Amino acid sequence: YWFYNFHKAYVKNQQIGPGDKFICYVTKHQRFMGVLEIQSESYIDNSPLFSPIKDPFVLRFKVKPLVWLPLEKAIPIRTDSIWHTLSFTKGLPKNSCQWTYKFFSSPRVWPEEDCIHIEKLLLAQATKLIDYPLSSATAKGQLMDSLYKDCKKANAIKFSKKAHGQHKGMGE
């Protein structure tokens, strides 16, 4: 998996490495789609992945997919089983944007209980394969555009670092 080089210090400080897991989230569609187990220490690789010249995603890990769902099967964050359980969304109305700070950059360490819950749901979804159709607004990215417009009115959120755990949340 890949990140910007400037995340190198964060990865080192949080001791992200083999045995840890990335929870994969597709920001544009607001869905959890995978769990990756880290198989290596982080390393720099300048081989282009996304841009033939000066690809910014040079900080990389070797990973093993534990769950990787197609987008239509990925679990939306506003699904009751997620929304009412995560430490940063439970108790919030579903139209709230006070939770989005958790996805501002990746990798980001999350509370272990949140990650374990999401991992269990994703593992179960890999068997059930429930459809979560993309709405036309979601498919076109209009949902995030609308959310960001609403969030401009929101107050800044203060939060503390998570207790140490084996799971690392990750946005796309």
Side-chain angles (χ1 to χ4, degrees):
Y1 226 79
W2 53 91
F3 302 96
Y4 292 107
N5 191 26
F6 61 81
H7 288 123
K8 188 176 182 179
Y10 182 84
V11 166
K12 183 178 179 182
N13 290 340
Q14 296 299 323
Q15 301 175 347
I16 299 173
D20 288 334
K21 296 174 183 174
F22 289 131
I23 301 292
C24 303
Y25 183 81
V26 183
T27 305
K28 183 176 183 178
H29 298 286
Q30 300 182 352
R31 293 167 177 244
F32 292 97
M33 73 177 304
V35 180
L36 305 174
E37 184 176 337
I38 300 172
Q39 302 288 301
S40 72
E41 297 293 335
S42 64
Y43 60 95
I44 301 295
D45 182 347
N46 290 305
S47 304
L49 286 175
F50 299 102
S51 174
I53 301 171
K54 295 198 178 212
D55 190 334
F57 299 101
V58 297
L59 180 64
R60 301 179 185 170
F61 292 89
K62 291 185 188 318
V63 296
K64 176 176 84 176
L66 302 179
V67 178
W68 196 258
L69 300 169
L71 193 54
E72 303 78 30
K73 308 290 186 193
I75 306 172
I77 192 168
R78 288 184 171 84
T79 302
D80 286 345
S81 60
I82 293 179
W83 190 263
H84 297 302
T85 306
L86 294 182
S87 62
F88 54 91
T89 56
K90 67 180 170 186
L92 293 175
K94 285 193 178 178
N95 65 350
S96 172
C97 59
Q98 293 181 339
W99 55 274
T100 57
Y101 67 91
K102 285 290 195 178
F103 298 92
F104 282 167
S105 70
S106 66
R108 176 183 281 267
V109 177
W110 280 12
E112 188 170 7
E113 59 276 6
D114 288 348
C115 293
I116 290 170
H117 179 70
I118 293 168
E119 181 179 20
K120 285 178 183 176
L121 291 174
L122 288 169
L123 287 167
Q125 174 63 348
T127 303
K128 296 176 189 175
L129 293 175
I130 298 167
D131 282 321
Y132 294 102
L134 297 172
S135 70
S136 60
T138 302
K140 294 177 184 173
Q142 295 168 349
L143 181 62
M144 285 303 291
D145 292 343
S146 172
L147 178 64
Y148 285 132
K149 287 176 188 170
D150 292 343
C151 285
K152 288 180 182 176
K153 304 171 193 166
N155 294 327
I157 306 295
K158 291 184 181 179
F159 58 95
S160 60
K161 285 188 165 187
K162 130 188 184 354
H164 291 287
Q166 290 271 321
H167 293 72
K168 316 299 179 197
M170 190 189 80
E172 174 190 274

